[in-house]
């Protein structure tokens, strides 16, 4: 693991997600950008001294020199965004499988380079767009694929949070600080942090490609360096329309990711804060509330559950499903279900297109080539 | 009453709303554009023969010649949109109070003419933007006015329906037919029918003025003459941002009008389909669920209730609140609470701006002068 | 109308419910037990002086002497409970149709007398168990009748309120005062006020007959004369089991009437505070959310709606549906749908059985003969 | 671990709950009552051959002979109920800490024996009443303790499921089979399986002691050996009243555990299927929706969360909280928060009292001595 040490948030989530199903073991790491903090974090996590490194270069060197029986299979990258590219590229080039946090990298050029490297080495590369790990998101995807909603016409996705409604980055909050530092997070604030999740959720569920978009990015908290409010109109290849909202200044809102997809035969709604339900509004009958674990779900959704319906699974379980998908891919199983490096690259192209649109005065900015 | 006869939908709602509180009596009308249908409708409604007219001109002439003690106080206009202007103008000029359905008229020029006429005659003119009649919408408005949300930064309003997910207008549905006939409904489809409600709801609750907007209008059902899907980005005077979605192709969705307003101190959410609740997310404590009729609501919200909390009031009651406001205004009471001709004119300007934006390739279209 | 004058609550609800659909006109009344208040109330309501009476005896006498063309068709009794019997009996005996509030009367003997009188005179007698007027309660009833839930096995009904969590009756609250005065309300407090609604809801939806019950009545607010908390186990003829809870000391709860009915093929849940939805859990598929006005509802539920799905109807509309049923019955229509005097009598027998059970130490008290 | 091998349900939940926070390692076991299945299960779970035993006696013997540095600290008992007592007793007597599933044992006498043994040996003994592990259940408990609801007057708890709405035990379902076999599950069916959870939830949150109860147990599915529907009235020491419903024939309902507690100052509601919210209805203001992880929760509730509000935690996380409590107790930490052997014994006494009540014709059966 690279990053995720003291003061980090998402590293611990990754570790719990890995632990849950007993398919991963944390054996080595370079857990912080500060050598002392890195070492201290590793000790706390019970990593053996000789595999607890001061920086990722040392980790890579050490793993490379180990015998295959003793070597880590996968490296997990949970650093601030700007570190993703060099670390991911180096480990892929060295033949390691990788799990990397989103957004993948800062530029589409880096993303393409990474995609090429993964292709060349034939390694597994997962990007932790974790919301696609929820069983009912997978159900939604399968319903679309099976044509149960007919032709998709309209997509509305909102990802609202309130935690950046004040200027936390000026008050010593580490999470807020790096996210609002253009050097560490890329040029995108809320857009990169949560807008990218929204984009991936739409792509995962609908399979639609955003053809062009029209974006309005705002920094509504005075003094903030990056966007904290992102709104955009979407046009998908094939004619569907959409709206994407990502905002971190919705005071009092916790983690309000909501998706609505309408097709000619029905509409579905899913809310991350109540993730064990998916509401389906068919054109010819009453709304149906699909619940996690039910026998009438599609197989891909069923497989993503651990316990019976009515026994809620949550965020960590969904996250763990991404890890299960990566593990299945590493074992070469056919049904590995996880967001790959291409999904990560698509997310980077999306962010770039939004940034271009937000700066321009033209209504529509093309996303696809 | 002009319009609202056989085959109409909203006319009956107006009549029930008027009846509910015993402040209105239906005494005369010209209930349809077809003379025979007009007369038959009036007979069904129990209107006396000598006040049941074949057309609005006859109604106006008859009312004008009556003694003031025997004359109708108010004319209610519930025709398709293109008839609003001539009827409204004629009755205002003749000194009658008017209640007119939305959108008010087809052009901003007509709207200005009407505003001027109302000002000159000093009559009461209500526009049935009925959603502002819900007690908890009034509570939301009062909370904003009282500063309980701080400075408003973000507004998201969605009005989704599914009833036009198929081409009903080609299947003999009268409601669908006139709404999708540009000559009768103006150039706006979903935009005029429900987008205008969304605009009014935002204006009512936030008091913010839309400075510029960027709209995407689609006719997603093949063969449809007008928009059935309207999405737009909003910028308000003072810096707040917004998104407005109005769509009638959300298959399976009934009457999904939802509003979220975020300020520096809190966020509120209101859903028309569960109108007796308003959720308030303050920055410094748990979400609060405000319910209709509660003693801790603002006075304007309290006044809009008839029965105790927990005994649901609905659409008709909200509609009736608009009528109560108009009645209070006619009686010259200070606290008359209803959307007036200026609100109607603002709605028309909004529609015009959206139509301009949708046709152009510039990102932003100014709404205000 | 008898009762329902100044200071009353439910009288105004009755009047709005009558006004809503234009099938009733208030022509005469004796609106209070105090002559002056009765007259003042009548004047406020716009009742003509010669039909605005000081007491119900005068009202009855005056109506009896009128010509049938000028006589009231129906008398509405909305007094405190102890007045129901003499008034109802006198009007029925005089051949008037009656609408009477619940609980019908104080004793099963009175109830039987009234049932006999109604039968003899062939008049229409409605009891305003208004919750059965909700369209989705009627849908529930029709689903049970049509066998869609299979054989009913279990019923849980709760009616919780919080308004009597303090001793309001000692603080000048008129509604609380008469309800907690045994002389006016009978020996039942919460049991009579809301438990009776719960009983009727169960009977209406399931058609099951309570065979025996085991009740625990408590007066949990110190100093209260009657029960404010009623809990009971139910056994229905045929083997189904049930639980009924009626409590007015659920601090902060508004009007929490909730019903769950489980059969061999499915379960339904309905909540009065969100009355436009009925959730159906079939044994072999996902939960279905049935909404008011939908085309797939049973005809009896469809008929009980005025406006399209998604446009909420509420308490007053449900109340008005009872009035529509009574009006249909008076007109001799086949499909008159309202709770009749037999339903009222059954409610009185239920209350008597609960009071017996609460006093005894035997587990089971029979309700049926 | 004893039990929890192939074909079991809850064993896997225990293992995931233990794995989640990295404080437990599965080192040894006797995973089934059939030696071959026991061994096969252990191999699947990656347990070393020499610690993978054919029966619990062998496991105990082996662990006892190991050096303390190499010996398991805790034994987890997840067998059918009838095996709990001998295993638990033997391991406690041998000085091991124990985690045991509920209901603890079959008789109050066994329970007392176990309590005495635990006291004598001073070991830690946790009972996996897992619902008390939910952060918002702990919040509810702390609110009651802090007096925020005032004096508790009323408790309604329902635990409804539908999975036994048909006679699954006759169709080869292992979970259904042992639960409906009196020899394995004790004399209690739904009562023991889920009624015991409901009892513990009430005791945990309110701290109230059930003084007497009146129960109705039914076997509503024809041919079923044990109760599948349990309803009872409760009277608590101090005067509060209650109702407890536990039913496994609520067709279509998944895991519907719901609690409502009303006091003089407010009411709280918690639903297991939406466990990240607790609704609080104070007497003097709007309902408040408390969410997991919020800074305004009580410390004990805060400590039970792993991730920020809005990122749902679920059943496994709650289960894991019980394990964290046991681990803390083993480490001798002051704030160990878990249901202990006394809670288990109280649950057994409750079940015995219910069985007595159900057989008798007296209304009230005393629970406490």
């Amino acid at each position: 693991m690279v990053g995720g040490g003291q003061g980090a948030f998402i590293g611990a989530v990754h570790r719990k997600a890995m632990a849950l199903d007993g398919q991963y073991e944390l054996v080595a790491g370079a857990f912080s950008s500060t050598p002392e903090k890195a070492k201290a974090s590793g000790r706390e996590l019970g990593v053996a001294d000789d595999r607890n490194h001061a920086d990722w270069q040392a980790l890579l060197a050490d793993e490379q020199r180990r015998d295959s029986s003793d070597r880590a299979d996968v490296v997990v990258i949970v650093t601030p965004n700007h570190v993703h590219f060099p670390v991911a590229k180096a480990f892929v080039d060295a033949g390691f499988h990788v799990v990397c946090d989103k957004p993948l990298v800062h530029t589409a050029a880096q993303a393409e380079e990474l995609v090429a490297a993964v292709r060349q080495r034939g390694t597994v590369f997962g990007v932790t767009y974790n919301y696609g790990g929820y069983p009912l998101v997978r159900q939604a995807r399968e319903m679309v694929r099976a044509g149960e909603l007919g032709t998709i016409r309209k997509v509305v996705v909102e990802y609202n949070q309130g935690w950046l409604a004040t200027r936390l980055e000026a008050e010593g909050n580490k999470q807020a600080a790096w996210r609002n530092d253009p050097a560490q997070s890329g040029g995108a604030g809320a857009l990169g942090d949560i807008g990218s999740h929204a984009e991936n959720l739409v792509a995962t569920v609908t399979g639609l490609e955003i053809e062009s978009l029209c974006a309005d990015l705002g920094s509504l908290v005075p003094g903030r360096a990056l966007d904290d409010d992102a709104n955009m109109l979407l046009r998908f290849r094939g004619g569907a329309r959409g709206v994407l909202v990502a905002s971190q200044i919705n005071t009092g809102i916790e983690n309000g990711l909501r998706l609505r997809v309408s097709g000619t035969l029905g509409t579905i709604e899913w809310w991350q804060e109540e993730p064990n339900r998916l509401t389906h509004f068919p054109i010819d009958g009453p709304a149906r509330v699909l619940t996690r674990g039910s026998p009438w779900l599609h197989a891909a959704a069923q497989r993503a559950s651990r316990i019976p319906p009515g026994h809620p699974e949550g965020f960590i379980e969904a996250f763990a499903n991404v890890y299960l998908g990566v593990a299945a891919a590493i074992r070469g199983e056919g049904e590995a279900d996880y967001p790959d490096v291409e999904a990560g690259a698509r997310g980077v192209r999306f962010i770039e297109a939004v940034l271009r649109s937000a700066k321009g005065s033209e209504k529509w900015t093309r996303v696809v080539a």
Side-chain angles (χ1 to χ4, degrees), chain A:
Chain A
M1 177 172 273
V2 179
Q6 294 168 342
F9 153 57
I10 204 68
V13 172
H14 281 254
R15 287 189 293 268
K16 286 181 191 299
M18 284 187 272
L20 186 65
D21 300 303
Q23 302 201 358
Y24 289 83
E25 196 186 348
L26 180 63
V27 294
F31 296 98
S32 180
S33 53
T34 322
E36 296 73 38
K37 219 159 139 190
K39 298 288 248 180
S41 302
R43 278 192 298 272
E44 273 177 32
L45 294 168
V47 171
D49 267 3
D50 64 328
R51 300 187 82 168
N52 184 13
H53 302 282
D55 55 45
W56 66 266
Q57 291 89 344
L59 170 68
L60 173 58
D62 184 56
E63 290 299 321
Q64 279 186 298
R65 90 173 59 98
R66 284 175 185 274
D67 185 73
S68 72
S69 68
D70 186 36
R71 194 189 294 149
D73 295 308
V74 199
V75 64
V76 175
I77 305 170
V78 288
T79 63
N81 301 342
H82 66 300
V83 184
H84 290 180
F85 180 68
V87 181
K89 185 65 170 42
F91 276 88
V92 170
D93 285 343
F96 288 89
H97 303 301
V98 173
V99 171
C100 182
D101 228 320
K102 44 50 54 186
L104 183 60
V105 290
H106 278 184
T107 69
Q110 292 171 335
E112 276 168 43
E113 209 178 320
L114 211 47
V115 168
V118 170
R119 268 195 208 137
Q120 199 195 335
R121 298 296 311 215
T123 52
V124 173
F125 195 108
V127 182
T128 45
Y129 288 117
N130 50 289
Y131 295 109
Y134 275 113
L136 287 166
V137 171
R138 294 188 174 175
Q139 169 69 11
R141 180 189 71 189
E142 298 303 311
M143 290 175 73
V144 172
R145 285 183 184 168
E148 294 172 33
L149 303 187
T151 303
I152 302 307
R153 283 175 174 160
K154 182 73 184 284
V155 181
V156 176
V157 64
E158 285 196 73
Y159 197 155
N160 294 307
Q161 297 180 331
W163 70 291
L164 290 176
T166 59
R167 213 174 144 222
L168 277 192
E169 64 269 37
E171 298 165 22
N173 180 303
K174 186 188 152 175
Q175 298 301 322
W178 77 254
R179 279 177 173 80
N180 283 293
D181 173 5
Q184 292 185 74
S185 74
L191 171 63
D193 192 22
I194 61 175
S196 61
H197 276 300
E199 179 275 332
N200 180 264
L201 184 63
V202 169
T204 299
V205 169
T206 68
L208 291 175
E209 195 176 2
I210 302 172
E211 198 169 71
S212 54
L213 54 78
C214 169
D216 189 20
L217 295 186
S219 298
L220 302 188
V221 171
R224 178 154 289 159
L226 291 173
D227 63 281
D228 49 23
D229 186 68
N231 307 305
M232 67 201 74
L233 309 175
L234 307 175
R235 286 188 167 184
F236 297 96
R237 197 188 288 282
R241 306 287 173 102
V243 172
L244 186 153
V245 171
S247 180
Q248 295 181 310
I249 53 91
N250 274 247
T251 319
I253 303 295
E254 296 178 345
N255 199 32
L257 174 59
R258 300 178 171 190
L259 176 69
R260 186 189 306 109
V261 176
S262 284
T264 49
L265 299 180
T267 291
I268 48 173
E269 281 189 355
W270 180 78
W271 297 3
Q272 192 275 152
E273 294 192 351
E274 294 178 5
N276 293 287
R277 290 189 286 170
L278 173 72
T279 308
H280 173 210
F281 302 86
I283 195 168
D284 55 357
R288 303 157 72 233
V289 183
L290 296 156
T291 50
R292 189 194 48 74
S294 306
W296 33 79
L297 298 190
H298 284 281
Q302 300 251 29
R303 277 195 299 271
S305 270
R306 288 160 187 80
I307 48 177
H311 300 69
E313 294 192 57
F315 185 87
I316 293 174
E317 287 85 345
F319 221 108
N321 285 336
V322 174
Y323 271 100
L324 287 178
V326 170
I330 291 173
R331 289 191 306 264
E333 293 173 9
E335 285 179 342
D337 198 341
Y338 68 100
D340 62 12
V341 71
E342 306 271 5
R346 189 184 55 226
V348 174
R349 288 193 301 273
F350 164 76
I351 291 173
E352 282 198 344
V354 173
L355 293 175
R356 273 202 314 280
S357 171
K359 277 174 205 133
S361 66
E362 277 293 299
K363 190 186 267 182
W364 295 107
T365 295
R366 274 188 82 76
V367 180
V368 295

